[in-house]
Amino acid sequence: MTVTIVGSQLGDEGKGGVVDIFGDAVDVVARYQGGDNAGHTVVHEGEEYKLSLVPSGAVRGKTGVLGNGCVVNPSTLFEEIDALQERGLDPDVRVARRAHVIFPYHRVLDGIEEEAKSEDGEEVGTTGRGIGPTYEDKAGRRGIRVGDLVSEDVLREKLEYVVPQKRALAEDVFGVETGEAFDIDALHEEYREYAERLREEEMLVDAGEFLAERLEAGEEVMFEGAQGTLIDIDHGNYPYVTSSNPTAGGASTGTGLGPGVVGGDDGEIVGIVKAYLTRVGSGPLPTELAGVEGDTPDYTPGEGREEELATYIRDEGGEYGTVTGRPRRVGWLDLAMLRHSTRANGFTGVVINHLDVLAGLDEVKIGRAYELDGEELDTIPATTERWAACEPVFETFDGWEAFDSEVVAEEGYEALPAEAKAYVEYVEDELGVPAYALGVGPGREETVVRTNPFE
Ligand code: GDP
Ligand code: IMO
Ligand code: MG
């Protein structure tokens, strides 16, 4: 069977940790979209691992696959593999020949475009990893795929076509000087070496075939989503999105397996929910508590609605970007967002993380709906401008006292404070989806598992 792990909100919901928790029975963990813009944390035997490209299961000796829907920066990939090896692990990572390759000029162009947009305050706040420009080239049919790297001639031919265009774009359109990142010979040499290593270490696969064979052999496969539904290029708040499909459909197109494998009788789709909201980068956030300079649109210092509370939650939850270190914007849980997400993904279950972070507050809120033009909306309007104009309608809950996470995890759901259970059950009822597990701390043993989707 397969289980797909999807971010239900804006990324950083704790997907890496959930992949790890449900991953015991798993043989293969496949990423299906995104690249080294992701930052997934796994805490294993007291050690913290932060992975941006290598699938989280690799920490636990599972085979990791980067599917065709991913964009791969080989330099990051090998850095991560080497770093894991230095820590005594032996990660088994395979890369789809159909995945697209991130080149240094993509990263440079990512920065140039953000810089240009920032003149009008329109920047997305990307991670600067070249994700958008690489997917642009993929859609523009001028991208270079992992399988192209292994042929010296094919690689040269493709670089000779695309690099002069990129140079012209940087120099003539944006007026920026180009350097090594746009040098065909240097790129050819660097990427030929990566290809050599990919080949020598037998990392190249046809993802769909590889995964189908493993499933056929009775193995369990997990699809690890990166980012989240509200930054999905189709279902998120365009243009403040990433350039791929984190939503569950992406697990099919991004691996080469049919939709029935992901969402059929043998497939579970689990939405990862943070008990409040965080956002890195620009775009609307109707239930935001207080702004963050540089990311919150129209941010004015001192005008945060609940600055102190936001800072408290940010610090308790360690809400600083895994990749960029930026402070994350913080808001209350938003059900309109989660209803949208539940439909777009077809969640069969959810995991609600970070319940411990809210412990100790007198009251906690959930955005139950929005008000827009005198009407109540229970899901997200399709245009970002309308979404930005939504005012949250809150439901207030009694807070819960701090609890011993390990004891609660050990004793099970009933040991959670009654107020926390009321919060969880309200969300389950509103979404019509059961909570398979509850996160009560960052550690592996700090999770209350009610249902393991593999069992
Ligand atoms: P991902 O990108 O969705 O994998 O999430 P990140 O790793 O970027 O961010 C989640 C952070 O929250 C990590 O530091 C996790 O260790 C931590 N975390 C996950 N679940 C919980 C939880 O239930 N409680 C607390 N306090 N931290 C958690
Ligand atoms: P994980 O997998 C949170 C955000 C960026 C920016 C937008 C586009 O750890 O949940 P990009 O570099 O992808 O072109 O940036 O998407 N973003 C994330 N936010 N978690 C992530 O990944 C993210 N990956 C990208 O901040 O707003
Ligand atoms: Mg993250």
Side-chain angles (χ1 to χ4, degrees):
M1 78 169 283
T2 69
V3 173
T4 302
I5 299 297
V6 181
S8 69
Q9 296 152 327
L10 294 140
D12 304 325
E13 301 91 347
K15 298 176 291 290
V18 174
V19 168
D20 185 48
I21 284 149
F22 290 150
D24 263 346
V26 169
D27 303 287
V28 183
V29 177
R31 286 257 324 252
Y32 54 88
Q33 44 72 235
D36 55 347
N37 49 345
H40 296 177
T41 316
V42 179
V43 183
H44 174 49
E45 290 174 355
E47 294 259 331
E48 189 176 70
Y49 297 88
K50 289 190 182 290
L51 301 166
S52 65
L53 195 53
V54 168
S56 299
V59 168
R60 213 166 279 281
K62 316 294 180 185
T63 298
V65 176
L66 295 173
N68 55 277
C70 295
V71 286
V72 179
N73 185 331
S75 156
T76 311
L77 177 65
F78 290 127
E79 256 170 48
E80 276 190 5
I81 291 177
D82 292 345
L84 290 172
Q85 283 173 346
E86 270 163 35
R87 294 175 73 175
L89 302 178
D90 183 22
D92 171 16
V93 182
R94 314 299 174 101
V95 185
R97 289 189 180 86
R98 288 184 171 89
H100 279 250
V101 180
I102 301 181
F103 283 86
Y105 52 81
H106 290 123
R107 289 176 75 133
V108 174
L109 288 166
D110 193 350
I112 291 177
E113 176 123 25
E114 283 281 279
E115 183 68 33
K117 284 184 173 171
S118 74
E119 284 169 21
D120 299 315
E122 296 292 336
E123 73 274 25
V124 176
T126 71
T127 60
R129 299 296 192 267
I131 305 297
T134 307
Y135 278 114
E136 248 180 77
D137 280 355
K138 171 179 176 175
R141 296 166 296 198
R142 68 181 91 83
I144 300 178
R145 303 201 292 180
V146 171
D148 298 330
L149 300 180
V150 291
S151 159
E152 203 162 321
D153 296 343
V154 172
L155 176 60
R156 180 164 291 277
E157 206 176 291
K158 291 191 183 273
L159 286 171
E160 278 174 359
Y161 176 74
V162 80
V163 175
Q165 286 188 15
K166 300 296 164 191
R167 212 181 290 137
L169 178 63
E171 288 174 355
D172 304 342
V173 178
F174 291 104
V176 175
E177 285 286 314
T178 56
E180 273 268 287
F182 295 76
D183 182 302
I184 295 176
D185 287 338
L187 293 169
H188 190 262
E189 197 182 316
E190 181 184 350
Y191 279 71
R192 282 290 300 152
E193 278 173 27
Y194 296 141
E196 205 41 47
R197 183 162 171 192
L198 287 166
R199 218 176 41 76
E200 266 172 19
E201 298 183 15
E202 296 180 2
M203 293 169 72
L204 297 170
V205 292
D206 293 356
E209 277 176 42
F210 180 82
L211 292 167
E213 277 169 18
R214 305 286 294 247
L215 282 166
E216 190 86 352
E219 296 192 358
E220 312 277 24
V221 174
M222 188 173 250
F223 300 115
E224 175 179 0
Q227 290 84 48
T229 301
L230 273 299
I231 50 174
D232 179 289
I233 191 153
D234 286 287
H235 306 290
N237 59 127
Y238 193 88
Y240 303 105
V241 293
T242 191
S243 300
S244 66
N245 286 121
T247 43
S252 169
T253 53
T255 58
L257 296 168
V261 176
V262 177
D265 291 343
D266 289 331
E268 288 253 16
I269 299 168
V270 182
I272 313 308
V273 177
K274 188 178 270 188
Y276 48 90
L277 284 185
T278 58
R279 172 162 209 162
V280 198
S282 335
L285 194 62
T287 61
E288 183 163 24
L289 279 161
V292 168
E293 189 163 14
D295 280 340
T296 304
D298 304 322
Y299 173 76
T300 322
E303 276 195 12
R305 277 176 285 187
E306 298 186 55
E307 199 90 44
E308 238 174 78
L309 184 54
T311 306
Y312 173 83
I313 294 176
R314 184 177 304 118
D315 289 345
E316 286 293 302
E319 299 296 357
Y320 295 86
T322 311
V323 173
T324 57
R326 281 189 282 175
R328 294 174 179 154
R329 298 161 63 191
V330 175
W332 291 118
L333 191 70
D334 182 339
L335 277 178
M337 183 187 285
L338 289 180
R339 290 187 194 100
H340 172 77
S341 194
T342 300
R343 177 190 39 72
N345 291 292
F347 292 145
T348 54
V350 293
V351 174
I352 306 178
N353 278 325
H354 293 85
L355 285 171
D356 56 307
V357 175
L358 298 181
L361 298 176
D362 289 338
E363 55 177 39
V364 289
K365 292 185 188 176
I366 293 183
R368 170 174 61 75
Y370 298 139
E371 216 173 81
L372 183 66
D373 302 332
E375 266 182 62
E376 200 168 290
L377 302 183
D378 64 7
T379 188
I380 289 182
T383 69
T384 297
E385 290 68 24
R386 275 173 62 78
W387 191 30
C390 286
E391 284 296 330
V393 181
F394 285 115
E395 199 72 38
T396 303
F397 294 77
D398 289 336
W400 49 90
E401 306 240 318
F403 52 86
D404 185 324
S405 297
E406 288 189 22
V407 171
V408 168
E410 178 77 35
E411 291 180 5
Y413 182 70
E414 287 312 317
L416 266 178
E419 299 83 359
K421 282 189 284 190
Y423 188 89
V424 167
E425 285 158 25
Y426 178 76
V427 175
E428 288 182 304
D429 286 349
E430 288 291 320
L431 301 182
V433 174
Y436 284 172
L438 293 319
V440 290
R444 187 166 208 256
E445 51 304 321
E446 292 168 311
T447 310
V448 179
V449 179
R450 298 160 88 191
T451 306
N452 184 332
F454 279 108
E455 283 161 10

